[in-house]
Amino acid sequence: MPEIPVVDLSNMGLHQGRITKELDEAFSTVGFVYLKNHGIDQKKVDNVFEASRTFFQLPEDIKKGYPRDNERFDGYTGRDQEILEDSSVHEVREAYDVTSPTGFYPDDSVPQFRPAICELAQSLCQLTVDLLKCMALALGLDEDYLSSRHQHIFHGVDKNGTILRSLYYPSLSGDDIQPGVVRCGEHSDYGTVTLLLQDDMGGLEVLSGSEWIAADPIPGAVLVNLGDLMQFWTSDRYHATVHRVRVPEIEIRRRSPRQSIAFFVQPDNGVMISALDGSQKHPPVESLAYLKLRLSETYKY
């Protein structure tokens, strides 16, 4: 069975050649990779998990006071409001999306949420730029080719559609455990790259060929996958791998919530994604327009 590779980012400046080669191999095969020694302080991750948990455990009427805005993207989404797989009866998760440090946060209810998110987002932005530079080199481009098209990451949807999403998968009742009920339906991501931070619960699965393989959490690691736009850009050399979060089989985990943090990176607004090799495998598409199209297909309100 294929495995998701692990890439060590220690001394990235000294080992850029090795890291670039290993990332290129991962993204052109399974499409997912774990990064260790990436430089993000675990305390920043823990702070976001803690602040998020405080928010998601608030009464429903309070959480609904911070609804996600379809134009700005910031805000809260409740269970079954985003359906990623047509065959799903229910998708049991909640989320809070933010697109900039100055966006829509639940400051009145959880004042620690904004500073925790913003501190982590700064580190995720830097790691993203480092990855984009490695991918550009792997693709035979100038080192700054991709990063120069991502200059406004997490600066708001007016400039860039990148979303930091805090995800909460509530503990499941007996009624939830039935066919068609999932944590998160099968889907590919929409942008260029996604950085995922998981708790220790597990449940994420990645489609490799015809096999589903577990993307179990590795303590301290960041899990990275690519989105549709990177697949379009590279004429399918890199893969936007389909993945899902299923209901765990182990009963004790069905009684425990699951948390994760996803950083969905988009190119800057106005950037046209067309095949780097000049092929016509995918028609050119503008970054924000494609994101809005995909979001409109999944949100059910």
Side-chain angles (χ1 to χ4, degrees):
M1 180 177 291
E3 294 183 352
I4 299 173
V6 179
V7 174
D8 187 347
L9 298 188
S10 299
N11 299 313
M12 194 169 188
L14 295 175
H15 302 293
Q16 189 179 50
R18 170 188 60 80
I19 292 168
T20 294
K21 182 178 179 181
E22 291 178 358
L23 290 174
D24 183 56
E25 174 69 16
F27 292 144
S28 58
T29 53
V30 68
F32 271 70
V33 64
Y34 294 102
L35 303 179
K36 67 177 185 178
N37 298 316
H38 43 69
I40 297 178
D41 186 348
Q42 184 62 38
K43 181 62 175 174
K44 295 181 181 180
V45 180
D46 293 341
N47 287 344
V48 173
F49 278 142
E50 183 178 351
S52 299
R53 190 161 52 247
T54 299
F55 173 81
F56 289 118
Q57 292 176 349
L58 291 171
E60 287 297 317
D61 61 328
I62 295 179
K63 290 187 289 187
K64 289 179 179 178
Y66 303 96
R68 177 186 175 277
D69 185 290
N70 278 325
E71 295 298 320
R72 307 300 304 176
F73 303 160
D74 290 7
Y76 170 72
T77 303
R79 54 185 290 169
D80 288 334
Q81 288 189 301
E82 183 191 26
I83 302 293
L84 296 168
E85 184 179 348
D86 290 341
S87 62
S88 299
V89 175
H90 296 293
E91 296 199 9
V92 188
R93 71 177 175 282
E94 302 173 41
Y96 201 104
D97 291 357
V98 287
T99 59
S100 76
T102 59
F104 180 45
Y105 289 77
D107 295 320
D108 293 340
S109 300
V110 188
Q112 68 271 34
F113 191 84
R114 184 190 297 266
I117 289 282
C118 293
E119 191 172 17
L120 178 60
Q122 187 174 18
S123 296
L124 290 170
C125 287
Q126 182 57 58
L127 179 56
T128 298
V129 170
D130 292 342
L131 291 174
L132 291 171
K133 289 183 176 182
C134 286
M135 283 190 281
L137 292 173
L139 294 167
L141 305 168
D142 290 339
E143 183 180 45
D144 296 328
Y145 181 90
L146 295 175
S147 60
S148 68
R149 287 154 175 79
H150 295 76
Q151 294 187 48
H152 303 294
I153 297 172
F154 203 64
H155 285 182
V157 72
D158 290 339
K159 296 181 178 180
N160 180 294
T162 294
I163 296 170
L164 192 155
R165 174 174 296 173
S166 181
L167 288 148
Y168 185 78
Y169 302 86
S171 58
L172 300 176
S173 67
D175 292 340
D176 288 325
I177 304 169
Q178 57 179 295
V181 175
V182 299
R183 295 291 204 180
C184 184
E186 297 176 19
H187 67 285
S188 61
D189 290 343
Y190 312 149
T192 43
V193 61
T194 300
L195 281 62
L196 182 71
L197 303 155
Q198 305 184 75
D199 65 9
D200 61 358
M201 187 55 58
L204 178 63
E205 297 179 340
V206 173
L207 184 62
S208 180
S210 60
E211 294 183 84
W212 287 100
I213 59 176
D216 293 328
I218 296 178
V222 175
L223 183 61
V224 178
N225 65 284
L226 302 183
D228 296 338
L229 293 185
M230 187 59 76
Q231 180 167 335
F232 299 164
W233 237 336
T234 62
S235 300
D236 302 344
R237 171 174 170 172
Y238 288 168
H239 302 289
T241 302
V242 171
H243 48 287
R244 67 188 185 186
V245 182
R246 283 308 192 227
V247 176
E249 293 298 326
I250 301 173
E251 179 66 24
I252 188 172
R253 292 188 172 181
R254 290 177 174 168
R255 302 293 181 242
S256 300
R258 178 183 185 270
Q259 285 185 268
S260 63
I261 302 159
F263 195 55
F264 298 110
V265 178
Q266 287 281 134
D268 294 334
N269 298 354
V271 171
M272 291 299 298
I273 312 302
S274 56
L276 293 167
D277 64 2
S279 73
Q280 302 298 317
K281 280 191 174 182
H282 303 281
V285 64
E286 190 270 330
S287 173
L288 185 62
Y290 184 76
L291 175 62
K292 287 185 174 181
L293 172 65
R294 291 298 305 271
L295 291 175
S296 71
E297 295 170 343
T298 57
Y299 280 95
K300 308 303 178 184
Y301 60 92

